Amino acid sequence: MTDFSNNKAPTRSKWWLAYAVFIVFIELLGYSVLLRHPDAGVLEFLSVCLSVGLYAGLFGFALSKSIMTPVFWHAFLLVNIVYAHIYAYFGAIDLYPGVPEAQKMVGYIFSAVCYLPAIVALCLYGRKSDQAWLPNNSKVSDQ
C-alpha cells in the first residue's frame, strides 16, 4: 500500500520499470529488422514515431513522473490503438512470411498479450487521479 503521509512522491512497483525496459528492448529488435526491410514505407516509420511516444508514457507511468497531461495520454492511447488496426490492414510488410494463418494468429495473440500491460499503463496514466499528477510530484513538461 502506498503511504501518502510524507512529502515524497509515491513510487510504483519495480515490475513496471522492468516491463518497460523489456518491452523497449523487444521493440528495438523488431524495428531493427522492420526498418531495414526493402518494403518499409511511411507506415513503418510512423510506427516508430508512435512507439517512441508510447514508451515515453510508459516510462513516465513506471517512474511516476508527469509528462504532458492526462488528456494527452488518453488521446495518444486512442491514436495508437486506431493506428495498430490501420497498420494491420494496410501495412505493406508481411510480418510472418510463409507462416500458416493459424500460426500467424498465435503470433498476433502473443503480441497482444505482451502489449496489454502497456495499454493498461497508459490508460491509468491518463487518469487525473494518477499519482504522477499529484501536486508534490515534479513536472517534466514544466521545465
Side-chain angles (χ1 to χ4, degrees):
M1 176 121 324
T2 305
D3 180 21
F4 293 105
S5 62
N6 57 12
N7 288 333
K8 290 174 59 178
T11 57
R12 296 207 194 279
S13 166
K14 300 292 184 214
W15 180 90
W16 282 109
L17 185 58
Y19 170 75
V21 169
F22 170 75
I23 207 73
V24 167
F25 176 73
I26 296 297
E27 279 287 314
L28 288 174
L29 290 176
Y31 283 132
S32 68
V33 173
L34 184 68
L35 294 178
R36 288 185 286 148
H37 195 280
D39 292 334
V42 174
L43 286 179
E44 285 74 29
F45 288 99
L46 184 59
S47 182
V48 171
C49 294
L50 288 173
S51 290
V52 168
L54 177 78
Y55 298 122
L58 183 57
F59 276 100
F61 177 77
L63 298 171
S64 297
K65 297 293 180 187
S66 55
I67 303 171
M68 303 300 285
T69 64
V71 174
F72 171 83
W73 291 111
H74 272 163
F76 192 80
L77 177 62
L78 181 63
V79 167
N80 265 291
I81 291 171
V82 169
Y83 175 78
H85 290 293
I86 289 171
Y87 186 81
Y89 291 108
F90 298 111
I93 298 175
D94 183 9
L95 299 176
Y96 303 102
V99 175
E101 287 298 318
Q103 289 178 344
K104 284 183 184 182
M105 188 57 66
V106 170
Y108 292 136
I109 291 170
F110 180 75
S111 293
V113 168
C114 285
Y115 286 103
L116 188 60
I119 292 169
V120 168
L122 273 189
C123 188
L124 293 173
Y125 192 49
R127 293 183 321 166
K128 290 181 180 178
S129 62
D130 186 71
Q131 63 193 23
W133 311 113
L134 292 176
N136 59 352
N137 221 357
S138 62
K139 281 196 170 255
V140 174
S141 61
D142 288 345
Q143 293 180 355

